[in-house]
Amino acid sequence: MNITRENIDELNAIVKVDIAKEDYSGKVDKILKDYRKNANIPGFRKGHVPMGMVKKQYGKAVLVDEVNKLLQEGLNNYLKEEKLDVLGNPLPKEQENFDWDKDNYTFEFELGLSPEFNVDLDVKEPITHYKIVADEEMVDSQIKNMQKQYGKLVSKDKAEEGDIVAGTFKNEEEGIENSTSVELEKIKGKENLEKFIGAKAGDTFSLNTKDLFEDDHDLIQHLKIEHDKAHDLNIDVEFTVSEVNKQELADLDQELFDKLFGKDEVKTVTDLKEKIKEDAAKQFQQQSDQQLMNDVTEALIENTKFDLPKDFLQKWIRTVGEEPMTEEEAAEEYEKSEKGLRYQLIEGKVMKENDLEINFEDLKAFAIDKIKVQMAQFGQMDPSEKELDDIAARILSNQDEAKRLSEQVMNEKLLEFYKENMSFNEKEVTYEEFVKEIYE
C-alpha cells in the first residue's frame, strides 16, 4: 500500500491511497478457506465445497470488506504518522465506473486542514469582569422573607393592606378553578386592591387578569395557567374568599438566627446582613464567571483571525447527520456553527500551549464537590469519605456523565487561566444592574 498527499493550499489536501493485490490477497484467501471449512451447501460434504464455488458466492463481499478495512487502517495511521491536524473526517472522492474486478485499486480523499494561527490574549476591546453584590434592598427583602418563613399566620375577619387572602379563582370558559393564597402587597393597581380590602370569608367578586399582579409569574401560580398564556391573558375571573390572615413576622432574635444558620453562627442583625451578602456573592459568582467566559470567548474569536476550509466543511456537514443535507442546508448549518468551531480551535491551542489538562484526580475531586453540595441540600451535612468515593466512582463509570464533568472541569481551568493572563475592567454592580447591562 502506498499513500501520497498533494496539498491544494494551506487548508485543503488530497490523499491518494494505492492498494495492490499483495496487500489484501493473503487475508482474503485465509477468510475464504475458513468459509470453505464451515460452508453448508447442498450436495457437498462440510469442508469439501469447491473453492471456486466459495469464491463465486463470497469472494466479492470478502474482498470489498478487507480492502475497506485496509484502507481505513492505512489512512488513520498515515494521519497519525504525518501528524496532520484535520477538521472533520477525510471525504472520499467519487470515482465513476469503479471496477472491483481489477487487482489494484486507487482511492482519493479530500482533507480539510486545521489553520495555523497564534492566540493573542491582549484583546482590543477591554472586557468587563462583573462583581455582583447584594444591595441593601435585596438584603432587606431576604430578611423579610426569612421572617415570613418562620413567622405565623393570624386569622382575621376582614382583609386589610398587607394581609394574605385565601380563596379560589374561577372561570368556567377557560377551565380555571384554583385555590390559592394571595399576598395583597403583590396586587397591582388601586382598583384591584380595593376589591380585596374589607373582604370576608364567603365574599365573591370579579377581577380582570390583565395587570392583576406586579409579576406575570404570580398570575401563572395563582391561576395555574401556561407560561406563554400569562402575559396577554385578558379575562374576568371570580374570586371567592375562604379565609383572611395576617402575616406576623418572626422576631430578629437569637432563636431565629440559630434556626437559619446554626447555633451562634450569627448573633446580631449586622452579622445577619453580612452573612446574606456573603451567601449572595457565592451564588452570583457563578453567573459572573459564566458571563466573563462568554465575553472572553467572543473577544478571542474577534481577536484571532484565521481562514477555515469552508467548502470542505460544508461538504463534510452534508455527510455527518442521520439524513443527508442539501447544499443550502449545509451552508446554513455551517454559518450557525462557524463561531463555535473557531473557538474550539482557539481553546485547543490555548490548552496545548499552556499544558492545561485534566487528570483523574481533578475529575474525582470535582465530582465529590458536586456530590457534597447535593447531599447538603437533603440535610446530609457530613458524609463519610468512603460514601463520597463510592458515589463518585459510580458517576464516573458512566461515560456520558464523565464527559460532561470533564468539560466543566476544563471550563474552570480555562477560566482560571484567562483570569490570570488577561486584563479585565472589574465593575461592581447589583444584580439588577448586571441583568440590565447584559440584556441591553
Side-chain angles (χ1 to χ4, degrees):
M1 181 166 54
N2 184 47
I3 302 180
T4 56
R5 180 174 85 251
E6 177 189 357
N7 289 330
I8 307 302
D9 54 38
E10 291 182 350
L11 298 174
N12 295 275
I14 300 292
V15 168
K16 183 179 176 183
V17 183
D18 294 313
I19 296 180
K21 185 175 182 179
E22 55 266 25
D23 294 324
Y24 62 82
S25 58
K27 290 184 179 179
V28 171
D29 289 344
K30 182 179 184 306
I31 292 171
L32 291 177
K33 285 178 183 177
D34 290 339
Y35 275 27
R36 186 184 181 216
K37 290 178 185 177
N38 298 298
N40 287 311
I41 296 179
F44 298 94
R45 285 184 297 142
K46 187 175 181 181
H48 289 77
V49 179
M51 180 56 78
M53 185 175 288
V54 172
K55 285 184 177 180
K56 184 177 181 181
Q57 188 164 350
Y58 301 110
K60 182 65 68 66
V62 172
L63 169 67
V64 172
D65 189 43
E66 287 306 306
V67 168
N68 278 325
K69 285 180 184 176
L70 191 64
L71 179 63
Q72 192 64 52
E73 182 182 353
L75 189 57
N76 287 340
N77 289 338
Y78 176 79
L79 295 178
K80 288 178 184 176
E81 289 166 6
E82 294 293 311
K83 297 180 180 178
L84 290 177
D85 194 0
V86 299
L87 300 178
N89 295 316
L91 291 178
K93 292 191 72 173
E94 290 186 15
Q95 299 184 59
E96 293 183 6
N97 304 319
F98 188 85
D99 188 0
W100 282 104
D101 291 326
K102 292 182 178 180
D103 290 335
N104 302 322
Y105 309 106
T106 296
F107 303 90
E108 291 185 336
F109 293 85
E110 296 179 62
L111 300 184
L113 305 177
S114 185
E116 293 290 333
F117 61 91
N118 294 314
V119 180
D120 185 0
L121 298 178
D122 185 16
V123 297
K124 297 172 185 175
E125 295 294 328
I127 299 173
T128 300
H129 184 193
Y130 293 97
K131 182 182 179 183
I132 310 171
V133 297
D135 59 7
E136 289 302 318
E137 184 179 348
M138 177 178 282
V139 171
D140 290 342
S141 176
Q142 282 278 77
I143 291 174
K144 189 172 182 182
N145 288 336
M146 292 171 177
Q147 288 180 280
K148 282 183 178 180
Q149 182 182 351
Y150 288 92
K152 61 182 179 180
L153 293 178
V154 179
S155 180
K156 294 180 62 177
D157 292 332
K158 293 182 180 181
E160 297 177 282
E161 286 190 34
D163 286 344
I164 299 173
V165 179
T168 302
F169 284 105
K170 189 172 183 180
N171 180 299
E172 291 185 4
E173 290 182 8
E174 295 290 332
I176 294 171
E177 185 169 358
N178 187 57
S179 297
T180 186
S181 293
V182 178
E183 296 179 49
L184 297 191
E185 63 185 27
K186 294 184 177 181
I187 294 293
K188 185 176 181 180
K190 185 178 179 181
E191 186 177 341
N192 289 326
L193 182 60
E194 284 178 346
K195 293 186 178 182
F196 283 92
I197 300 302
K200 306 184 298 295
D203 288 353
T204 297
F205 46 88
S206 179
L207 294 159
N208 189 276
T209 56
K210 187 68 175 174
D211 296 327
L212 178 56
F213 292 98
E214 294 287 350
D215 188 335
D216 285 341
H217 289 91
D218 289 322
L219 193 66
I220 295 167
Q221 176 191 339
H222 291 306
L223 271 65
K224 287 292 183 284
I225 56 174
E226 296 175 3
H227 185 279
D228 294 341
K229 197 175 180 181
H231 184 68
D232 297 318
L233 190 65
N234 188 354
I235 61 171
D236 290 329
V237 289
E238 295 293 322
F239 184 79
T240 302
V241 179
S242 58
E243 60 178 294
V244 178
N245 294 294
K246 178 182 179 181
Q247 175 79 62
E248 284 195 356
L249 302 180
D251 292 331
L252 292 174
D253 55 17
Q254 194 60 50
E255 182 181 356
L256 178 62
F257 300 156
D258 290 349
K259 285 179 182 177
L260 291 169
F261 302 106
K263 187 167 178 59
D264 294 334
E265 288 294 318
V266 170
K267 294 186 176 181
T268 66
V269 173
T270 301
D271 291 344
L272 174 62
K273 289 186 175 184
E274 287 304 313
K275 182 69 175 172
I276 291 171
K277 287 180 180 179
E278 286 175 18
D279 291 346
K282 291 176 185 176
Q283 293 174 13
F284 293 147
Q285 183 68 45
Q286 185 176 357
Q287 289 168 284
S288 173
D289 282 349
Q290 183 59 59
Q291 186 58 43
L292 182 63
M293 193 66 169
N294 292 346
D295 292 340
V296 168
T297 299
E298 291 289 338
L300 289 178
I301 292 172
E302 181 64 28
N303 201 52
T304 311
K305 302 297 183 184
F306 53 82
D307 292 326
L308 290 169
K310 180 177 178 180
D311 293 340
F312 169 83
L313 288 170
Q314 289 185 12
K315 280 186 189 178
W316 175 70
I317 287 171
R318 291 182 65 185
T319 68
V320 293
E322 293 183 4
E323 297 291 333
M325 290 185 180
T326 65
E327 288 185 13
E328 292 76 15
E329 289 171 336
E332 184 179 343
E333 186 62 30
Y334 174 79
E335 293 300 324
K336 290 179 184 175
S337 58
E338 182 185 359
K339 284 179 74 172
L341 174 58
R342 286 182 179 278
Y343 182 67
Q344 282 181 17
L345 293 172
I346 293 168
E347 182 185 84
K349 195 169 185 68
V350 169
M351 289 164 56
K352 184 177 180 181
E353 291 182 348
N354 296 281
D355 297 323
L356 298 178
E357 56 185 27
I358 304 171
N359 57 44
F360 180 75
E361 290 306 315
D362 291 334
L363 196 55
K364 181 181 174 183
F366 183 80
I368 286 176
D369 284 343
K370 293 285 186 186
I371 294 164
K372 284 180 178 178
V373 171
Q374 290 183 345
M375 293 180 79
Q377 290 174 349
F378 293 96
Q380 295 175 268
M381 306 304 293
D382 191 25
S384 68
E385 188 174 329
K386 183 180 184 308
E387 189 176 8
L388 291 169
D389 284 344
D390 289 346
I391 297 172
R394 195 160 60 245
I395 290 172
L396 296 176
S397 67
N398 182 313
Q399 288 188 353
D400 291 338
E401 191 66 17
K403 181 181 177 183
R404 187 180 69 82
L405 291 174
S406 295
E407 289 171 354
Q408 291 180 25
V409 174
M410 184 48 69
N411 273 340
E412 285 194 358
K413 288 201 171 204
L414 277 165
L415 183 59
E416 197 59 38
F417 173 80
Y418 293 144
K419 285 180 177 179
E420 291 173 359
N421 293 276
M422 296 179 73
S423 297
F424 303 109
N425 292 336
E426 189 168 288
K427 185 175 183 179
E428 188 172 293
V429 292
T430 66
Y431 184 72
E432 285 188 5
E433 290 169 340
F434 171 74
V435 171
K436 187 177 179 181
E437 284 203 27
I438 295 310
Y439 283 97
E440 283 186 350

